[in-house]
């Protein structure tokens, strides 16, 4: 089976379904602003996630719970303009998937209309299946998110690995059956992620979930070494932008002090 290469047009839900069929791993990364949206798109990722992690990595909050719909739309619109090829997915912020189907559809519709992005992601268990089905019925592509759900951090007792395979499988299956086009598996054992990936027809996108998911997602600031907060153990940093940035500014400041800048 020959894996299809990346499309030069906008990546769609059909491309992600084909990636699973052809076993071509999907790459998704977060972005929250115009330059990083541009750069990650040019790097060839399949999906760009405007995650509610913006509240932590950009705004310095200690959880994703404070992220608001207005903030997600603000960042989504910027990234939506910057990214021309990857699919742009915007997080539905807490607690909009818990306030009934109508409220969730209205919020997701605002995200699509006001950002120009292509899909929404929502955290949920099997209990949110009706909400996913309602949003999908409105023609809005939904990515589910099961396992560690950061919006439920206080109920889960912290950012911990989620190990109950029966619950994980039920949540992922419920998302798939409700019409989600993909599902994020966050912080679940690799064997559980592999079992879920084999059990459902839609792509699984892992974060701290081992190598056997259909794709992987990382927070950009973790991937490039720019995070100032806690970085999970499973992250591999591919650059040290924090040091590069601090060194550049310190060097410039020294040049200003020495009157060697400007020349
Ligand atoms: O908000 C986010 O960045 C996410 C990823 C960690 C999957 O949900």
């Amino acid at each position: 089976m020959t894996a299809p290469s990346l499309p030069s047009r906008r990546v769609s839900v059909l491309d992600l379904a084909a990636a699973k069929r052809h076993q071509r791993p999907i790459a998704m990364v977060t972005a929250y602003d115009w330059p990083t949206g541009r750069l990650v798109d040019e790097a060839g990722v399949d999906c760009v996630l405007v995650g509610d992690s913006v509240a932590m990595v950009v705004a310095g909050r200690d959880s994703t719970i404070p992220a608001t719909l207005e903030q997600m739309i603000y960042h989504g619109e910027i990234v939506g303009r910057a990214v021309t090829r990857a699919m742009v997915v915007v997080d539905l912020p807490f607690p909009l998937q818990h306030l009934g189907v109508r409220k969730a559809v209205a919020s997701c519709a605002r995200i699509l209309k006001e950002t120009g992005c292509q899909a929404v992601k929502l955290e949920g268990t099997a209990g949110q299946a009706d909400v996913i089905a309602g949003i999908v019925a409105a023609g809005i592509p939904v990515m589910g998110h099961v396992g560690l759900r950061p919006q439920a951090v206080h109920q889960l007792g912290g950012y911990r690995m989620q190990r109950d395979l029966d619950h994980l499988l039920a949540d992922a299956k419920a998302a798939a059956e409700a019409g989600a086009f993909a599902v994020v598996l966050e912080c679940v054992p690799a064997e559980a992620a592999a079992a879920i990936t084999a059990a459902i027809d839609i792509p699984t996108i892992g974060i701290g979930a081992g190598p056997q998911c259909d794709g992987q997602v990382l927070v950009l600031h973790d991937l490039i070494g720019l995070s100032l907060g806690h970085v999970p153990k499973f992250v591999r940093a591919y650059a040290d932008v924090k040091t590069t940035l601090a060194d550049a500014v310190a060097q410039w400041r020294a040049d200003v002090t020495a009157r060697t800048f400007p020349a």
Side-chain angles (χ1 to χ4, degrees), residues 30 32 49 51-53 91 121 123 145 184 186 207 217 219:
T30 66
Y32 316 101
L49 172 65
D52 57 1
S53 51
D91 258 337
K121 173 167 83 59
E123 295 178 16
H145 183 153
V184 167
E186 179 161 356
I207 174 162
V217 54
V219 167

Side-chain angles (χ1 to χ4, degrees), residues 28-32 49-55 57 64 72 91 121 123 143 145 148 150-151 184-186 205-207 217-220 222 234:
M28 176 161 91
V29 68
T30 66
Y32 316 101
L49 172 65
V50 185
D52 57 1
S53 51
V54 67
V57 292
T64 59
M72 297 314 301
D91 258 337
K121 173 167 83 59
E123 295 178 16
M143 181 178 282
H145 183 153
L148 170 57
Q151 295 175 5
V184 167
L185 305 180
E186 179 161 356
I205 304 188
I207 174 162
V217 54
L218 277 184
V219 167
L220 178 69
D222 293 344
F234 58 78

Side-chain angles (χ1 to χ4, degrees), residues 68-91:
T68 66
L69 183 59
E70 299 306 325
Q71 289 164 354
M72 297 314 301
I73 289 174
Y74 175 77
H75 289 281
E77 191 278 329
I78 294 169
V79 175
R81 256 185 302 116
V83 175
T84 58
R85 194 198 53 80
M87 174 193 290
V88 184
V89 184
V90 179
D91 258 337

